Amino acid sequence: MNNKKRHKKSKHNVRQSLPGKKHSENARLKDYWPWFVLFIVIIFTVAIRIRLLEIPLERDEGEFAYMGQLILQGIPPYLIAYNMKLPGIYAIYALIMALFGETITGIHLGLILANSVAIILLFILTRYLFNNAAAIVAAISYALLSLSPQVLGTSAHATQFIVPFAIGGTILLLKAIDSQKLVLFFVSGLLFGIAFTLKQHAAFFIAFAFFYYTLKTLTAKPLNWKRLIAGNTLLALGSALPFLIICVILYRAGVFSMFWFWAFHYASQYASIVPLSMGFESFRHGIIDVTGSWAFLWIIAAIGLTAIFWYDKAKQHKYFLLGFFIFSFLTVFPGFYFRRHYFITFLPAIAMASGIALTASIKWLYQKKVIPLVQIIPVFIITATIIYPVIKTGDFFFMLPPAEACRLMYGINPFPESIKIAKYIKEKTTENDRIAVIGSEPQIYFYANRKSATGYIYTYGLMEPHSYASKMQLEMIREIETAQPKYAVVVIVPTSWLPRDDSDKTILKWSETYFNQNYTTVGLLSSTINESYKIYWDEEARNNKPLSPNYLLVMERSINQNIKSQPKHK
């Protein structure tokens, strides 16, 4: 008995002699809980994205996928397909499809990966500057905002891929400033430079890096000119390197002149079409579309930004917060188009400001010594602000099939129907056959895995009021007549052309005559009153007429025309 008592007593003494053990376990739990919440957030958004994994590709995705497909076949961008996008996004798509497959599923798996990385990096950035609570709110806010149909969040736009590189570059910039490790400036610039190769708009993130580092160094005492020059030089070298590498690759591939024309000469004309006088109205419509049921969260973000005047931690980082917010905002502005997915690069700043609003409000109430019950009111407000839009958008997130979710975002655009058109064409053609799409539906080329008979995979540029439009139309006509594609898809849907009153209509008049004379209708897809399409094939397509002004014709080159086009032997 005495031995047992001594043993129990010794165990009790051991527990009492290790008071730090319980404390260390609590500390570990305190360190890990934010990561656990972050994991839940990512699992939740990934589950929604997986449910909508098969949502049909829209036009930008179709373009990127087709260009990436060509790259995987050894064909450089701008050789047989033209557009003003920078080629970094084409390379990203080629990499995604090499890893996950040349399918809708593969592309959207790549989006899930990029979005998840962006959420994690925003959490790390906000936590580095503020605290766990702000980081969690920022991560949740960005995860849901970037998924919402208001910004077309289930589509793999270039802006979705810019964000992880831009935030990664920002984290390394802060680390470089705090540690004074010069190599980090270069790597930070490298990430910003990659973001720029995905879309020209990302140039504002590079400008932010120079702005913040310069201002931070100039306001530090003592002022270190050598450090300022060295840091900015390395930032510049890192930022320029990805673009220079792309230029060398395209030059060696023999397409540099085409790349330069489309990415800069034509892009500058495109960016100057909308006058400044219309910019405010365009922005007003854009911001209304994007905020929608998330408007309260945007208001909370605005409150969070004011924290630089009344919250010590925000005052400490005021240059960063103002710079990050303003330059992120500027990424939306080029050309004054304000399309919904353009706002995605602004969402990290909105999400971070929302997190700051929460922690700043709690701190302010604590300093005012209000009762604890009142101090947690900001938590309830931010929770309700996040949950309400999710519930309101519940049908999209949790109920609608992918095709219907696509229709909800994109209306009458024939994105689900493009899959059926491409399947029909693919079954009727060989890999060597060329096809043409007379309209802006490049996703058909990707689905069919057939090369375009013309480099003009978009027809928007042909309708725009710039000096190249008429010349482009004649070039497209010449390319199609020369290639004599086996199949053509004529798209009579306004959103595939965006014609204006002053647009040159030569291409439209030509296509009506040319295809009626040389092709036979084998497919008719006509929109109906409920924003769906009635589809007819072969004999039915020839025996029916469009049910509305919005329709597509699938046309096969007539046999007699194929005979006429064959070379005559002497």
Side-chain angles (χ1 to χ4, degrees):
M1 288 288 293
N2 290 339
N3 289 338
K4 287 182 179 179
K5 285 181 181 179
R6 280 196 296 271
H7 180 65
K8 287 181 180 178
K9 189 174 181 180
S10 64
K11 284 176 72 176
H12 177 70
N13 291 339
V14 168
R15 287 195 199 101
Q16 285 191 330
S17 66
L18 296 173
K21 184 177 180 182
K22 189 173 181 180
H23 175 74
S24 64
E25 287 176 354
N26 290 336
R28 269 199 300 271
L29 185 62
K30 189 176 180 181
D31 287 339
Y32 290 145
W33 78 262
W35 291 99
F36 177 74
V37 175
L38 179 65
F39 176 75
I40 297 299
V41 170
I42 291 175
I43 290 297
F44 178 75
T45 54
V46 166
I48 295 173
R49 289 187 179 278
I50 287 177
R51 196 190 74 77
L52 295 170
L53 204 61
E54 286 294 324
I55 201 163
L57 302 182
E58 53 83 68
R59 293 185 182 99
D60 278 3
E61 290 178 295
E63 173 206 343
F64 304 153
Y66 177 54
M67 291 288 206
Q69 194 175 63
L70 292 178
I71 289 173
L72 293 176
Q73 294 171 8
I75 301 170
Y78 316 102
L79 182 63
I80 65 171
Y82 325 134
N83 199 251
M84 63 180 171
K85 311 289 198 315
L86 290 174
I89 188 61
Y90 305 147
I92 289 286
Y93 261 65
L95 177 61
I96 287 171
M97 292 189 295
L99 293 173
F100 302 118
E102 296 179 35
T103 61
I104 296 173
T105 296
I107 290 166
H108 289 157
L109 283 174
L111 170 61
I112 288 174
L113 180 61
N115 184 252
S116 299
V117 170
I119 294 167
I120 294 168
L121 291 177
L122 182 61
F123 170 84
I124 292 170
L125 174 61
T126 310
R127 191 174 187 236
Y128 186 79
L129 292 170
F130 294 96
N131 56 32
N132 287 326
I136 286 295
V137 172
I140 294 172
S141 300
Y142 179 74
L144 294 172
L145 285 169
S146 62
L147 174 62
S148 71
Q150 279 83 6
V151 295
L152 312 176
T154 54
S155 298
H157 288 111
T159 44
Q160 291 275 13
F161 295 96
I162 286 173
V163 172
F165 288 106
I167 298 178
T170 302
I171 292 171
L172 289 180
L173 177 65
L174 295 179
K175 292 280 189 181
I177 292 171
D178 291 344
S179 68
Q180 291 301 309
K181 292 181 179 178
L182 291 177
V183 68
L184 292 180
F185 287 104
F186 177 77
V187 181
S188 170
L190 202 63
L191 293 179
F192 285 123
I194 293 172
F196 172 72
T197 67
L198 304 180
K199 195 176 183 71
Q200 291 93 325
H201 297 55
F204 288 103
F205 284 120
I206 298 175
F208 161 71
F210 286 110
F211 162 81
Y212 178 64
Y213 176 60
T214 300
L215 193 60
K216 184 80 172 172
T217 307
L218 290 176
T219 53
K221 292 182 181 180
L223 176 61
N224 190 331
W225 286 102
K226 288 184 178 179
R227 182 68 63 178
L228 175 63
I229 294 169
N232 277 326
T233 300
L234 288 169
L235 265 176
L237 289 173
S239 300
L241 186 60
F243 180 73
L244 293 175
I245 291 173
I246 280 176
C247 288
V248 170
I249 292 171
L250 295 178
Y251 179 80
R252 290 176 62 86
V255 294
F256 181 80
S257 60
M258 289 293 288
F259 154 68
W260 200 260
F261 168 78
W262 281 99
F264 294 98
H265 290 299
Y266 167 70
S268 64
Q269 295 253 341
Y270 172 79
S272 62
I273 290 172
V274 180
L276 182 61
S277 58
M278 292 177 60
F280 177 77
E281 188 64 16
S282 179
F283 174 74
R284 187 177 71 83
H285 286 294
I287 201 73
I288 289 172
D289 289 341
V290 166
T291 52
S293 56
W294 296 95
F296 289 114
L297 188 63
W298 284 64
I299 292 170
I300 287 174
I303 294 170
L305 194 62
T306 68
I308 60 173
F309 301 108
W310 50 275
Y311 176 45
D312 290 342
K313 197 76 171 177
K315 287 180 183 178
Q316 181 183 340
H317 299 297
K318 62 183 177 181
Y319 296 134
F320 175 88
L321 292 175
L322 284 173
F324 189 64
F325 192 90
I326 291 170
F327 283 95
S328 296
F329 186 48
L330 290 175
T331 63
V332 182
F333 268 77
F336 303 122
Y337 288 100
F338 304 111
R339 296 192 173 98
R340 287 192 281 170
H341 58 282
Y342 287 10
F343 284 85
I344 289 171
T345 48
F346 185 39
L347 296 183
I350 294 294
M352 181 184 288
S354 300
I356 296 166
L358 174 68
T359 55
S361 300
I362 293 173
K363 184 72 174 178
W364 184 81
L365 291 171
Y366 175 77
Q367 289 173 342
K368 295 298 180 182
K369 297 182 179 179
V370 300
I371 59 174
L373 188 63
V374 175
Q375 291 180 29
I376 63 171
I377 286 178
V379 176
F380 289 109
I381 292 174
I382 197 77
T383 302
T385 303
I386 290 171
I387 290 176
Y388 167 72
V390 174
I391 295 173
K392 192 171 181 181
T393 322
D395 282 353
F396 179 85
F397 287 151
F398 310 116
M399 301 291 291
L400 290 179
E404 291 183 31
C406 179
R407 194 71 77 200
L408 179 70
M409 289 191 294
Y410 295 105
I412 201 63
N413 285 293
F415 301 151
E417 291 69 33
S418 295
I419 299 171
K420 298 173 183 177
I421 293 170
K423 182 181 179 182
Y424 180 91
I425 291 174
K426 189 172 185 178
E427 290 173 351
K428 303 285 185 178
T429 57
T430 67
E431 291 183 2
N432 295 324
D433 289 324
R434 292 290 184 105
I435 66 172
V437 178
I438 318 304
S440 303
E441 309 300 337
Q443 67 276 8
I444 294 175
Y445 295 120
F446 168 70
Y447 290 139
N449 196 8
R450 298 292 180 263
K451 295 180 180 63
S452 53
T454 173
Y456 291 92
I457 58 175
Y458 283 115
T459 50
Y460 295 134
L462 281 58
M463 298 288 105
E464 293 163 356
H466 54 71
S467 59
Y468 299 119
S470 296
K471 182 183 176 183
M472 287 176 173
Q473 292 194 28
L474 295 176
E475 189 172 14
M476 182 176 181
I477 290 169
R478 185 174 64 252
E479 288 177 353
I480 291 173
E481 288 183 344
T482 302
Q484 298 179 356
K486 186 172 182 179
Y487 280 86
V489 182
V490 180
V491 186
I492 312 298
V493 179
T495 52
S496 196
W497 290 84
L498 299 182
R500 305 161 184 254
D501 293 337
D502 58 349
S503 294
D504 182 353
K505 305 296 196 306
T506 300
I507 188 77
L508 297 173
K509 296 172 184 175
W510 165 83
S511 65
E512 184 176 358
T513 302
Y514 180 77
F515 291 106
N516 283 336
Q517 289 178 352
N518 299 283
Y519 285 74
T520 301
T521 300
V522 293
L524 169 62
L525 298 87
S526 180
S527 68
T528 61
I529 195 169
N530 61 349
E531 286 198 342
S532 62
Y533 279 83
K534 182 71 175 175
I535 303 175
Y536 306 97
W537 296 113
D538 302 316
E539 196 64 34
E540 279 191 336
R542 293 185 283 274
N543 293 334
N544 282 277
K545 292 183 179 180
L547 303 172
S548 76
N550 300 314
Y551 61 94
L552 298 86
L553 295 173
V554 181
M555 309 191 80
E556 181 182 19
R557 188 165 180 83
S558 301
I559 296 175
N560 59 334
Q561 292 299 326
N562 290 333
I563 294 172
K564 287 180 184 178
S565 65
Q566 288 177 1
K568 295 180 181 180
H569 298 282
K570 291 183 180 180

